[in-house]
Amino acid sequence: MTPLLDLLAQNPVLTLFTVLLLGFALGGVRVLGFSLGVAGVLFAGLLVSALDPRIALDPAVYELGLALFVYAIALASGGHVLSSFGRAGLIRNGLVLGLLTLGAGLTLGLGRLLGLEPALTAGLYTGALTSTPALAGVIEAVAGQPGAGDPVVAYSIAYPMGVIGVMLALFLFERRFRPDYAAEARALGVSGEELVTRTLRVTDGRELTVEAFARAHSGRVVFGRLLHGGHLDAAEAGSVLRVGDLVSVTGAPADVAAVIRVLGEEVAQSLSEDRSVLDFRRIFVSSPRVAGRRLSELRVNERLGATVTRVRRGDRDIVPDGRTVLELGDRVRVLAPRGRMAEVTRFFGDSYRHLSEINLLTFSLGLVLGLLLGTLPLPLPGGGTFRLGVAGGPLLVGLVLGALGRSGRVVWNIPYSANLTLRQFGLALFLAGVGLRSGGRFAAQLASAEGLALLLAGAAVTLSVTGALLWIGYRLLRLPYSLLSGLAAGMDTQPAVLGYATERTGGEVPELGYASVYPVALIGKILLAQLILRLAG
């Protein structure tokens, strides 16, 4: 074993990929339906570094990974986070901040019960809720104070349970509540359910226009072809639906069935079989002129006589409306006159090669702005300062730029596939680096009586706060469990938990919850850790 450990200690790149190999193998092991997933990398790092304290990575590795992960996910979630400033978002952030305060009170009580020094108590809180920025603030506050204690000791012992404890709570509450993740995703408008196209014969005599009907029925379907008086044409916003007309409808199966019940009856005839006048094509959005713009801005119907009937983003189809913002990498299904299809294709771009490239100029600019913001000292109440760091700065900048989508000719978002790759790679780097940094201290301190007390106290704080969030959110506030799992990851400001939640739910809903509360949780824990330090003294 010693020659192998010597080899790992002398070759940090080999160490990194060894930990990734072991971590993903460990994460794939399932026990009673429970698996660590990508979080297995963290525990592989703890194991390897516990074998030999010389095995470590430069802190720049996990800082790079963390910055890439949070910036990529913020870019993808920026548009959704705008909704967090509404009533629902305020309730979620208020709940998270309230429970973090509850956790601070519980930590103070446990610190006094165990006779811990103030620095250890504050370190316990930062580890139980996995906040490295909060720990940095505590270290800065106690620097130069003799006998203050080492907050890193409590942090390193409580940190692993701060990760696995949240995942365990998510698993146990999931078994208790048995949520329907597919139904929750549909209700939130991020369903991965396959869209269908049906043809109906209109029997409703109200003669509504397509626009009026869509507005009255929440716009969850798109009308494609309209056959009236033997003439086939595209169903435009002003098209009138008259008795006897045949019209094609695209949407989720339940939404299409609801439209058929209101408007008429389904027929076996498929209007899409006739492609002599109107044709359809699936086209990649690769043009920077199109990306980041709403469909209503693009006016494809007025310009090209075309109708976008579907938008495929990643593995899910979206029913588009005028508010839908197209992103690089989207695949749109367009209905247009045969003679104009080539023009429509050029308009959207349809270049797969361009989608394999990242505009490193804009991506790097956004990351530089985020990292600069993270270095700025921000004032604390009662004196002192704190910094958002490599996580908070890129996250806040990414959320803003993701919400903007574009600034003039500059497109901030990156192709969906590239975003997924960057966030997965960044998360893996972060977990490997943190695990390799903490394993030695974790093994040494855990063997002592104080270490065991700190471990149990940290677990109590983690499980109490997370359990309260899941129970209150699901039972009292009636929030979707998939969204709650993201809120738990955001409250913990923990990418590993988010990775686990995303794998369990099989969708993107947890990412919405994570991004909507992360900024408040990050800053809240920094402030509360300082408060614990003052009150424990």
Side-chain angles (χ1 to χ4, degrees):
M1 179 68 75
T2 302
L4 177 59
L5 296 178
D6 290 341
L7 182 64
L8 292 177
Q10 296 165 11
N11 296 272
V13 176
L14 176 63
T15 297
L16 171 62
F17 284 96
T18 299
V19 169
L20 294 181
L21 173 64
L22 294 175
F24 282 110
L26 177 63
V29 176
R30 302 185 70 84
V31 179
L32 299 176
F34 177 84
S35 64
L36 292 173
V38 68
V41 176
L42 170 66
F43 296 98
L46 289 171
L47 174 63
V48 170
S49 64
L51 294 175
D52 191 328
R54 297 175 301 158
I55 302 176
L57 293 177
D58 191 292
V61 173
Y62 70 80
E63 289 179 357
L64 170 64
L66 183 57
L68 285 175
F69 175 79
V70 297
Y71 184 66
I73 203 170
L75 281 179
S77 305
H80 299 286
V81 175
L82 291 177
S83 61
S84 68
F85 294 104
R87 180 175 179 273
L90 292 175
I91 291 175
R92 295 171 197 167
N93 280 286
L95 173 63
V96 165
L97 192 55
L99 291 176
L100 289 176
T101 304
L102 174 66
L106 178 59
T107 305
L108 273 171
L110 289 171
R112 288 171 179 167
L113 179 66
L114 298 174
L116 300 178
E117 296 150 331
L120 281 177
T121 304
L124 175 66
Y125 180 75
T126 63
L129 295 169
T130 67
S131 178
T132 304
L135 173 67
V138 173
I139 294 173
E140 182 180 359
V142 301
Q145 297 182 16
D150 186 0
V152 176
V153 171
Y155 171 87
S156 62
I157 290 178
Y159 184 95
M161 194 59 190
V163 179
I164 198 171
V166 179
M167 293 190 289
L168 180 62
L170 288 174
F171 176 76
L172 294 176
F173 276 85
E174 179 191 81
R175 297 290 293 269
R176 175 69 178 85
F177 296 146
R178 300 188 180 280
D180 185 341
Y181 289 132
E184 291 180 352
R186 284 195 300 271
L188 292 169
V190 291
S191 171
E193 189 176 35
E194 290 293 329
L195 302 184
V196 298
T197 299
R198 299 287 183 265
T199 301
L200 70 89
R201 178 181 288 109
V202 178
T203 60
D204 187 314
R206 290 177 293 171
E207 296 194 353
L208 297 171
T209 64
V210 167
E211 182 180 27
F213 183 85
R215 190 166 53 242
H217 294 271
S218 17
R220 291 191 173 184
V221 298
V222 172
F223 293 94
R225 293 171 169 84
L226 175 64
L227 181 63
H228 173 73
H231 180 68
L232 183 64
D233 206 346
E236 300 177 359
S239 299
V240 178
L241 302 174
R242 297 184 172 89
V243 174
D245 288 350
L246 297 184
V247 62
S248 62
V249 186
T250 299
D255 295 327
V256 170
V259 170
I260 292 173
R261 286 194 299 270
V262 173
L263 270 183
E265 58 188 9
E266 184 176 351
V267 297
Q269 179 181 351
S270 174
L271 294 181
S272 61
E273 293 177 357
D274 183 357
R275 303 176 71 169
S276 60
V277 178
L278 297 173
D279 201 358
F280 69 86
R281 184 175 295 176
R282 295 176 177 88
I283 304 171
F284 283 109
V285 176
S286 63
S287 171
R289 296 177 303 166
V290 172
R293 298 192 186 278
R294 297 176 183 265
L295 278 175
S296 58
E297 294 179 59
L298 297 175
R299 298 184 295 112
V300 293
N301 190 268
E302 294 91 331
R303 288 178 174 177
L304 306 165
T307 301
V308 177
T309 60
R310 302 187 192 195
V311 176
R312 188 163 184 84
R313 184 167 297 160
D315 291 332
R316 65 186 177 97
D317 285 322
I318 301 170
V319 179
D321 58 26
R323 297 167 297 177
T324 302
V325 178
L326 296 183
E327 297 180 5
L328 291 171
D330 286 349
R331 197 179 183 195
V332 294
R333 177 167 170 163
V334 181
L335 180 68
R338 286 183 62 85
R340 306 196 69 177
M341 190 57 76
E343 185 182 0
V344 172
T345 301
R346 288 193 298 271
F347 178 78
F348 286 103
D350 203 34
S351 172
Y352 189 75
R353 181 176 65 84
H354 288 166
L355 294 177
S356 303
E357 302 170 348
I358 299 174
N359 188 329
L360 291 176
L361 176 63
T362 57
F363 187 81
S364 300
L365 175 59
L367 261 179
V368 166
L369 293 175
L371 292 170
L372 286 175
L373 177 63
T375 64
L376 295 179
L378 304 175
L380 282 169
T385 60
F386 75 97
R387 290 175 172 81
L388 293 174
V390 296
L395 180 99
L396 291 179
V397 170
L399 289 174
V400 172
L401 297 181
L404 288 174
R406 64 184 301 139
S407 301
R409 295 185 177 183
V410 177
V411 179
W412 296 109
N413 283 311
I414 60 177
Y416 181 86
S417 57
N419 189 295
L420 287 179
T421 301
L422 282 173
R423 74 173 77 165
Q424 183 182 31
F425 182 63
L427 179 58
L429 290 181
F430 168 73
L431 294 175
V434 169
L436 288 169
R437 185 183 66 173
S438 304
R441 290 193 298 269
F442 174 71
Q445 295 296 329
L446 191 58
S448 66
E450 184 180 66
L452 180 60
L454 287 170
L455 175 66
L456 294 176
V461 173
T462 300
L463 294 173
S464 297
V465 172
T466 306
L469 172 74
L470 297 176
W471 192 88
I472 293 172
Y474 196 79
R475 290 298 191 196
L476 299 184
L477 300 180
R478 305 293 182 185
L479 296 176
Y481 192 80
S482 51
L483 185 69
L484 274 172
S485 64
L487 294 182
M491 182 174 69
D492 211 36
T493 54
Q494 183 48 253
V497 177
L498 177 60
Y500 171 78
T502 302
E503 289 186 8
R504 292 294 300 180
T505 61
E508 302 173 5
V509 176
E511 296 175 3
L512 305 182
Y514 179 86
S516 68
V517 300
Y518 186 107
V520 168
L522 177 74
I523 296 172
K525 285 190 284 189
I526 293 173
L527 297 175
L528 287 168
Q530 297 293 319
L531 183 62
I532 290 172
L533 196 61
R534 294 174 185 271
L535 294 179

